[in-house]
Amino acid sequence: VEYSANSHTSYYLFSTLAKLELRLCWRIQQTLLDEGFEQFSNPDFVKTIGIEGISGDIEGKDLLNLLPTQDFGDRESLNAMYLVGGASKYPLISYFARHTLQNPQVLPLNIFSIGRQYSQVTEENSSLLNTQQSTAITFLNISASRSEMELNLDTIIKLYTRILQDFGEVRIIQKGASDLDLCEETRYVFQVCLPVSKKFVQVGELSVEGDYYSRRLMFKQKDEQQTYRNLWTLSGTVLNITRVLPIVLETTQNNPKLIQKFYD
């Protein structure tokens, strides 16, 4: 790893780590495809209206915005352009805004995207655990009803756990009401233990939004009686690849040959 002077969180991966990042992306991609997920390719940018519609934060305080041009303004103009990354929930969920699903028999729908995530970093110490740019895999589940969503929630939690067990001890934390965003009914945080420091690191999260996005962004399903009904969603980060790399390094530092198991 080489850290750049351009920013305290800028870094470049070389050799084994660079190849490992790609291999982990391919590995999780194949796992999700085998589980019936469909892959999406999302834009890296979202305008203010998309940020406000999904998170309720009209100023996008925790996000990175571009300098104003003739096509969009600054943050205060409420017509800003934000760099969020293709593996962010913002472009993935925005795709369905103001859409009607004419064939609800395809539900539940599981989709995922592999790419970058961008966020503000205030910590001065730089490491792969706190970077403005991360490689990540995000997902969205769309269900026809609350009961179907709850069944999918159990299935996805088990899938998360199965994926993360390869990296070490897994801990699942359910967040309290004071830690939730406006769109969330509840949130599960998935952590993996660093084997040397014994510190748990968050590498994934799963949000239960219920029918919040369906009501707020006006995407619906149309049943056989031509009635419009709400859709129910789960979303989150399946795996933050950048945060997993230090875990792999600590696991294999005394026996570099162990890194081969992450290529299998």
Side-chain angles (χ1 to χ4, degrees):
V1 180
E2 178 181 320
Y3 291 93
S4 169
N6 294 333
S7 166
H8 68 288
T9 67
S10 295
Y11 66 94
Y12 296 94
L13 298 179
F14 295 94
S15 186
T16 303
L17 275 185
K19 290 186 288 186
L20 179 61
E21 181 189 55
L22 286 174
R23 180 56 188 156
L24 290 177
C25 287
W26 295 338
R27 183 180 182 179
I28 307 304
Q29 177 190 40
Q30 190 58 54
T31 298
L32 295 177
L33 290 174
D34 291 343
E35 291 293 327
F37 283 67
E38 297 184 28
Q39 188 166 4
F40 261 48
S41 179
N42 300 317
D44 284 327
F45 304 94
V46 174
K47 298 189 78 171
T48 299
I49 188 172
I51 302 297
E52 192 273 336
I54 292 169
S55 68
D57 181 10
I58 197 168
E59 295 182 356
K61 297 177 181 177
D62 297 327
L63 302 175
L64 303 172
N65 66 290
L66 305 186
L67 293 175
T69 69
Q70 62 180 5
D71 297 318
F72 50 84
D74 57 15
R75 193 186 300 262
E76 288 70 28
S77 72
L78 304 185
N79 186 36
M81 183 70 76
Y82 291 88
L83 175 63
V84 294
S88 165
K89 67 178 181 179
Y90 296 105
L92 187 58
I93 297 172
S94 294
Y95 175 84
F96 294 93
R98 303 186 70 178
H99 275 65
T100 299
L101 185 63
Q102 302 284 355
N103 52 339
Q105 63 270 19
V106 303
L107 298 172
L109 182 62
N110 291 309
I111 58 179
F112 74 98
S113 179
I114 302 175
R116 302 286 188 247
Q117 285 183 355
Y118 296 92
S119 60
Q120 295 274 18
V121 174
T122 56
E123 299 178 34
E124 294 185 0
N125 296 327
S126 60
S127 75
L128 292 177
L129 298 177
N130 61 322
T131 59
Q132 287 186 337
Q133 174 183 293
S134 299
T135 300
I137 304 171
T138 191
F139 93 101
L140 174 65
N141 166 271
I142 303 177
S143 300
S145 64
R146 175 173 287 278
S147 58
E148 185 177 75
M149 180 194 72
E150 291 172 349
L151 288 174
N152 290 322
L153 175 61
D154 291 337
T155 301
I156 292 173
I157 288 177
K158 291 177 182 177
L159 176 60
Y160 264 53
T161 305
R162 178 158 59 88
I163 290 173
L164 296 178
Q165 280 176 341
D166 289 339
F167 301 102
E169 182 183 352
V170 180
R171 183 168 69 180
I172 305 173
I173 299 174
Q174 184 174 6
K175 291 293 186 177
S178 60
D179 296 320
L180 301 180
D181 293 332
L182 184 64
C183 62
E184 295 175 313
E185 293 183 2
T186 188
R187 186 196 314 149
Y188 297 90
V189 170
F190 294 80
Q191 301 177 336
V192 176
C193 184
L194 286 163
V196 176
S197 61
K198 301 301 180 183
K199 174 185 176 182
F200 278 89
V201 176
Q202 179 177 329
V203 295
E205 60 182 4
L206 171 58
S207 296
V208 180
E209 296 99 2
D211 63 348
Y212 177 88
Y213 289 140
S214 184
R215 291 182 286 109
R216 186 168 179 84
L217 300 179
M218 295 186 293
F219 64 91
K220 308 285 182 179
Q221 58 178 315
K222 194 174 185 179
D223 60 23
E224 295 177 353
Q225 289 74 39
Q226 303 300 301
T227 302
Y228 294 94
R229 298 191 294 118
N230 290 341
L231 293 161
W232 304 73
T233 64
L234 309 168
S235 67
T237 300
V238 178
L239 187 65
N240 186 311
I241 302 293
T242 304
R243 281 174 162 258
V244 161
L245 294 179
I247 297 173
V248 175
L249 284 177
E250 285 199 8
T251 302
T252 61
Q253 64 179 350
N254 294 325
N255 187 358
K257 292 183 179 180
L258 287 177
I259 204 168
Q260 185 59 41
K261 78 172 186 177
F262 297 104
Y263 287 82
D264 299 332

